[in-house]
Amino acid sequence: MITTEQQQKLRGWFAGRLPDDLFEEVTDVTVDREEITVIGRIPEPRLADDASAAERDAAVQGRIEEFRERTREDRMAVAREAEHRFGRKVSWGVECGGRRALFTHVAAPVMTRLRQPERQVLDTLIAGGVARSRSDALAWCVRLVQRHADDWLAELRDSLEHVQRVRAQGPDAETPEDTEDTEDTTTNDE
């Protein structure tokens, strides 16, 4: 679990480290144990006012692809530095014309043990054509919960941050006296 302060520091690092002309704005920096995902807004393509929806969609897709190719070297350099500094893979995405596109992202395996009733839920999703496998069905369930439980999950995350702050103030916490440099009183007779 990452605290709000850690999240803000991470977002600040990326805001300071990214080239000024890479994004119009960094819209989202998300982090978990395996991955940091950085999403920025890029300018929409200029089109005639009477452009069709299909033309607008194709233009946005083209802009996203152009951006991905043109900025690859810069993004890879920042990612290497961030991966070394934060110990997590960096993934990239953009927002353009109301569309969000992720370029690369980590698909981390998650091990779990499910009892038969839970397995039956997954198997029903497979039989109904919602998912291709139990893994896909489980991911679908997680996305569904995420969509409908954002407020509850945000409150839970806030509570976990509070627990971490309280735990950090416990008897094993470092005090300012513990971190002060002590004067070296040894002598060297050379």
Side-chain angles (χ1 to χ4, degrees):
M1 174 74 195
I2 187 165
T3 66
T4 300
E5 182 180 353
Q6 292 168 327
Q7 175 82 16
Q8 290 168 349
K9 286 180 179 180
L10 193 71
R11 186 178 175 89
W13 185 87
F14 275 99
R17 177 57 184 86
L18 293 173
D20 287 337
D21 60 345
L22 188 65
F23 296 122
E24 288 182 326
E25 161 187 26
V26 175
T27 59
D28 194 17
V29 177
T30 308
V31 64
D32 67 11
R33 285 187 253 178
E34 292 84 20
E35 176 180 33
I36 301 167
T37 303
V38 180
I39 298 177
R41 184 173 297 114
I42 61 174
E44 292 182 43
R46 291 190 181 107
L47 297 169
D49 291 338
D50 62 345
S52 69
E55 185 178 354
R56 289 186 187 286
D57 189 52
V60 166
Q61 184 61 37
R63 173 62 52 91
I64 290 170
E65 291 170 7
E66 182 276 334
F67 174 86
R68 183 179 186 184
E69 293 304 319
R70 178 175 46 85
T71 64
R72 179 170 280 140
E73 294 291 324
D74 288 338
R75 289 183 295 107
M76 287 175 60
V78 172
R80 278 191 296 274
E81 191 175 329
E83 287 170 6
H84 177 72
R85 181 181 187 104
F86 302 112
R88 294 170 171 91
K89 291 291 185 188
V90 176
S91 300
W92 300 94
V94 296
E95 289 180 355
C96 181
R99 180 188 297 172
R100 180 177 271 207
L102 291 176
F103 299 152
T104 56
H105 51 283
V106 173
V110 178
M111 301 295 287
T112 187
R113 294 184 183 274
L114 299 177
R115 292 187 174 12
Q116 189 176 33
E118 292 95 6
R119 292 192 310 268
Q120 287 174 333
V121 169
L122 301 181
D123 292 342
T124 300
L125 293 172
I126 295 166
V130 173
R132 294 184 315 261
S133 65
R134 283 183 173 172
S135 178
D136 284 346
L138 185 58
W140 185 89
C141 291
V142 168
R143 287 190 301 272
L144 181 67
V145 169
Q146 179 185 21
R147 186 175 306 127
H148 295 290
D150 280 341
D151 292 340
W152 182 83
L153 289 172
E155 189 175 332
L156 180 61
R157 286 184 190 107
D158 290 344
S159 296
L160 289 171
E161 285 184 32
H162 178 72
V163 168
Q164 287 179 340
R165 284 192 303 270
V166 171
R167 188 179 295 142
Q169 296 170 1
D172 294 334
E174 283 188 5
T175 62
E177 299 85 41
D178 294 338
T179 58
E180 288 180 3
D181 291 332
T182 58
E183 189 176 313
D184 187 2
T185 57
T186 59
T187 57
N188 193 354
D189 295 326
E190 288 186 40

